[in-house]
């Protein structure tokens, strides 16, 4: 199916780089078409800064045509027929028509160049990505009904789904990602193939799975994409902790559906993101993934109590460890792992505030423990309220409002965002006449504890507190013996059983 594309229907003008590049290839005697996601995006009224083209020109020909016109170009994907370039604000990839063959035991194709645009489109993942715009004629080539499926909000494959997913199993996760990003549904035959072939995702590298998962979580409706992963069985291979949240509900319904609760928390966390000028601009992967994973410790900590209730003691700490382990397996970077796991660990900290109230010291510890994650923790904690009991929901919201107000009030008086002892390490060493070592660390922790408990003090008050603390330490009385406090501490640790005998002498 081919017809002229009505560019006047676009919400924004077609970038000049597209027809200009098409003219260069036509003048050189070659075909060129805009293809894949950028064509799909034209139907959605948006233009991506990343543009994909396909051509019957071979890599050497592509380089000859763009040399001197492109701002820069690179040949990293040359063996796959791809030449990359940058022009203005656009990053462009131009790939020779492909007709690859796949080894069922591997994702890597045996690269074979093709000669026909239609053959190249057939090997693409979904019909909505198997459309091309011939240039510079603006002829739309849509042999598999991609525009129809996009309009219907349906994910279909150009050929049999089983063949497409066998060629590249990551396409199954991509279908779930599209459900999240574009808020579309997968066709019944596509879902059936995903369910039957879910285990084949195991041949895909952790890094590629991670990248698809990140895009899914950052989509417009990540809860729909996650649900598709779970229902198809893919989650059992890539996010088994989430799949395990579908706990069997006991006959007395003594606890809520943890899985559905987690999807609701994810949705509510997305709703609490702020724009680029706010504290947590969306999409925020750390907040969203913590919302999804916050209760993954519940399946292994569930206990039915004699009273008839159900408990999940320490599920926050267990969940933080499970989350970190899964993210490491998916090759996430250390900073992201630590941030998400820390939020999971802290998500229960607030509960009890409304009943017993907190001292200023407890508020300081809450802020200090959250550190730079505080704004995300605010949103995660609020998102975790999914009760249908309006009175309970209002009580929790009021309590958290009160906590945030107290944090703001204390912040006006103290530097809550970066709580430090009233004396730094240099001042501690000078005052105690000690060298860097364990003693300084102990003194620092003592002053930090005092700062948390009682708020800021003057330098003189802090110095007096430190002298009092130091006078009670065994090292202080040994300074005149010629031994350093650090050496004394090591000797003390050897004989810490109280017998006065060093462990090495026993």
């Amino acid at each position: 199916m081919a017809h002229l594309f009505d560019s006047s229907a676009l919400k924004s003008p077609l970038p000049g780089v597209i027809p200009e590049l098409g003219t260069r290839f036509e003048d050189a005697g070659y075909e060129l078409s805009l293809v894949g996601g950028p064509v799909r995006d034209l139907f959605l009224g948006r233009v991506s800064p990343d543009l994909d083209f396909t051509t019957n020109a071979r890599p050497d020909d592509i380089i000859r045509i763009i040399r001197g016109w492109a701002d820069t170009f690179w040949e990293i994907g040359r063996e796959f027929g791809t030449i990359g370039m940058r022009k203005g604000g656009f990053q462009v990839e131009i790939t020779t028509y492909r007709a690859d063959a796949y080894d069922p035991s591997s994702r890597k194709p045996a690269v074979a160049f093709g000669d026909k645009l239609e053959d190249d489109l057939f090997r693409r993942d979904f019909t909505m990505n198997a459309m091309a715009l011939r240039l510079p004629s603006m002829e739309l080539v849509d042999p598999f009904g991609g525009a129809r499926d996009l309009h219907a909000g349906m994910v279909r494959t150009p050929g049999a789904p089983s063949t497409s997913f066998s060629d590249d199993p990551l396409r199954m996760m991509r279908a779930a990602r599209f459900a999240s990003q574009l808020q579309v549904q997968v066709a019944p035959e596509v879902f059936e193939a995903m369910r039957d072939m879910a285990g084949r995702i195991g041949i895909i590298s952790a890094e590629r799975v991670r990248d698809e998962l990140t895009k899914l979580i950052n989509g417009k409706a990540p809860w729909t994409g996650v649900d598709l992963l779970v229902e198809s069985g893919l989650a059992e291979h890539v996010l088994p902790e989430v799949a395990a949240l579908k706990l069997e509900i006991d006959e007395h319904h003594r606890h809520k559906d943890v899985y559905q609760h987690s999807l609701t928390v994810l949705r509510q966390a997305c709703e609490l993101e702020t724009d680029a000028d706010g504290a947590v601009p969306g999409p925020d992967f750390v907040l969203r993934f913590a919302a999804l994973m916050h209760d993954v410790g519940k399946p292994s900590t569930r206990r039915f109590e004699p009273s008839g209730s159900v408990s999940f003691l320490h599920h926050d700490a267990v969940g933080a460890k499970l989350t970190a382990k899964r993210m490491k397996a998916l090759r996430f970077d250390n900073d992201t792992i630590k941030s998400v796991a820390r939020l999971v660990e802290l998500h229960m900290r607030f509960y009890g505030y409304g009943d017993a109230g907190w001292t200023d010291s407890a508020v300081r510890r809450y802020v200090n423990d959250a550190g730079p994650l505080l704004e995300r923790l605010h949103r995660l904690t609020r998102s975790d309220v999914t009760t249908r009991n309006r009175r309970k929901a209002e009580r929790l919201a009021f309590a958290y409002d009160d906590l945030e107000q107290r944090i703001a009030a204390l912040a006006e008086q103290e530097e809550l965002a970066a709580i430090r002892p009233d004396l730094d390490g240099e001042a501690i060493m000078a005052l105690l006449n000690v060298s860097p070592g364990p003693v300084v660390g102990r003194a620092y922790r003592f002053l930090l504890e005092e700062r948390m408990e009682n708020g800021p003090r003057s330098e003189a008050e802090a110095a007096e507190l430190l002298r009092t603390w130091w006078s009670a330490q065994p090292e202080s009385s040994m300074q005149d013996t010629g031994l350093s406090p650090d050496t004394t501490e090591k000797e003390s640790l050897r004989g810490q059983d109280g017998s006065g005998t060093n462990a090495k002498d026993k």
Side-chain angles (χ1 to χ4, degrees):
M1 180 188 300
H3 55 81
L4 290 181
F5 183 74
D6 183 10
S7 60
S8 65
L10 296 180
K11 296 181 180 178
S12 55
L14 195 69
V17 66
I18 294 176
E20 187 176 343
L21 188 58
T23 298
R24 292 186 69 86
F25 273 76
E26 183 181 53
D27 291 346
Y30 293 100
E31 299 175 1
L32 183 75
S33 297
L34 185 69
V35 71
V39 179
R40 180 197 68 223
D41 287 347
L42 292 179
F43 283 90
L44 298 175
R46 61 194 190 195
V47 177
S48 170
D50 298 326
L51 301 175
D52 295 321
F53 296 86
T54 189
T55 179
N56 61 345
R58 297 306 195 250
D60 285 342
D61 302 317
I62 296 173
I63 292 174
R64 179 170 50 81
I65 295 170
I66 66 172
R67 190 187 297 273
W69 179 78
D71 296 335
T72 185
F73 70 89
W74 51 92
E75 304 178 51
I76 297 174
R78 185 189 182 96
E79 65 175 306
F80 298 103
T82 299
I83 301 298
M85 57 166 277
R86 186 175 296 109
K87 178 68 174 178
F90 294 93
Q91 185 153 310
V92 175
E93 287 191 349
I94 307 173
T95 302
T96 303
Y97 293 155
R98 296 263 293 272
D100 300 338
Y102 288 84
D103 179 348
S105 64
S106 172
R107 163 63 190 102
K108 295 181 180 180
V111 178
F113 294 145
D115 297 306
K116 296 176 60 178
L117 174 59
E118 288 75 13
D119 292 342
D120 183 90
L121 296 178
F122 181 75
R123 55 172 287 277
R124 295 180 178 269
D125 53 5
F126 305 115
T127 59
M128 63 178 65
N129 290 335
M131 298 183 287
L133 192 61
R134 288 189 186 274
L135 300 169
S137 65
M138 298 295 288
E139 176 190 11
L140 179 67
V141 181
D142 183 16
F144 308 107
R148 174 203 63 211
D149 291 339
L150 185 60
H151 179 74
M154 192 66 64
V155 175
R156 287 194 170 91
T157 55
S162 58
T163 301
S164 179
F165 296 157
S166 179
D167 286 349
D168 184 0
L170 190 67
R171 290 172 175 174
M172 295 184 286
M173 285 201 65
R174 198 170 297 148
R177 189 242 293 181
F178 282 0
S180 168
Q181 286 184 327
L182 305 179
Q183 295 179 282
V184 295
Q185 296 180 315
V186 298
E189 69 274 12
V190 173
F191 176 79
E192 183 178 350
M194 292 171 65
R195 185 184 58 202
D196 293 344
M197 304 177 68
R200 279 189 57 77
I201 198 69
I203 72 170
I204 301 299
S205 70
E207 290 82 1
R208 294 185 72 215
V209 170
R210 174 203 63 207
D211 291 346
E212 281 298 326
L213 179 63
T214 300
K215 293 174 183 176
L216 184 158
I217 295 297
N218 284 341
K220 289 183 178 179
W223 52 92
T224 62
V226 170
D227 196 43
L228 185 53
L229 291 180
V230 171
E231 294 301 321
S232 66
L234 278 166
E236 293 179 11
H237 302 278
V238 299
L239 280 180
E241 297 80 8
V242 174
L245 290 174
K246 298 193 76 169
L247 294 172
E248 181 180 351
I249 305 298
D250 64 288
E251 59 181 334
H252 301 294
H253 294 273
R254 289 177 289 187
H255 65 86
K256 70 180 73 174
D257 183 331
V258 181
Y259 172 65
Q260 289 299 329
H261 163 74
S262 297
L263 293 186
T264 300
V265 174
L266 173 58
R267 177 177 56 79
Q268 294 184 164
C270 294
E271 293 170 353
L272 290 179
E273 290 174 337
T274 51
D275 59 26
D277 296 327
V280 183
D284 188 90
F285 177 82
V286 169
L287 171 61
R288 293 180 176 204
F289 202 56
L292 175 63
M293 303 291 283
H294 78 285
D295 273 349
V296 295
K298 280 190 171 181
S300 60
T301 59
R302 181 173 65 163
R303 299 290 183 272
F304 294 101
E305 305 294 345
S307 63
S309 63
V310 177
S311 68
F312 301 96
L313 190 62
H314 302 311
H315 78 272
D316 43 358
V318 172
K321 292 180 180 179
L322 290 173
T323 298
K325 183 178 180 181
R326 177 54 46 198
M327 294 182 73
K328 287 177 183 177
L330 290 171
R331 305 291 195 272
F332 278 94
D333 64 275
N334 288 334
D335 288 343
T336 303
I337 293 172
K338 289 178 181 178
S339 294
V340 174
R342 186 61 167 162
L343 284 176
V344 172
E345 182 183 7
L346 293 175
H347 84 273
M348 292 293 293
R349 181 72 67 86
F350 160 74
Y351 292 94
Y353 175 85
D355 297 327
W358 284 357
T359 62
D360 285 351
S361 172
V363 174
R364 292 187 193 100
R365 293 178 193 280
Y366 187 78
V367 174
N368 186 70
D369 289 347
L373 299 171
L374 182 62
E375 289 294 340
R376 291 184 175 107
L377 182 58
H378 287 335
R379 286 155 177 76
L380 177 59
T381 303
R382 290 185 182 276
S383 300
D384 197 21
V385 179
T386 62
T387 179
R388 296 180 181 178
N389 184 323
R390 189 181 69 174
R391 181 173 297 180
K392 180 179 179 181
E394 289 176 348
R395 177 172 58 82
L396 288 170
F398 176 81
Y400 208 85
D401 286 344
D402 184 67
L403 174 58
E404 288 202 60
Q405 289 168 7
R406 289 187 61 193
I407 290 173
L410 280 174
E412 289 184 2
Q413 307 168 34
E414 313 171 18
E415 294 183 18
L416 285 187
I419 294 179
R420 298 289 186 271
D422 297 299
L423 299 176
D424 62 18
E426 293 291 334
I428 290 172
M429 288 188 288
L431 192 67
L432 302 184
N433 191 27
V434 297
S435 301
V439 167
V440 180
R442 284 165 47 210
Y444 187 93
R445 288 191 292 274
F446 164 74
L447 290 175
L448 179 60
E449 185 70 20
E450 281 290 327
R451 173 71 170 77
M452 289 284 190
E453 194 66 33
N454 300 302
R457 297 176 183 270
S458 69
E459 186 173 335
E461 290 172 329
E464 185 60 33
L465 277 173
L466 184 60
R467 290 190 187 96
T468 301
W469 172 84
W470 179 237
S471 66
Q473 305 305 304
E475 296 91 342
S476 66
S477 62
M478 298 295 292
Q479 279 189 329
D480 294 335
T481 67
L483 291 174
S484 73
D486 294 343
T487 302
T488 306
E489 179 171 82
K490 293 174 184 176
E491 296 298 324
S492 174
L493 288 174
R494 292 197 191 109
Q496 61 186 349
D497 63 345
S499 65
T501 304
N502 289 335
K504 66 179 181 179
D505 296 328
K506 288 187 178 180

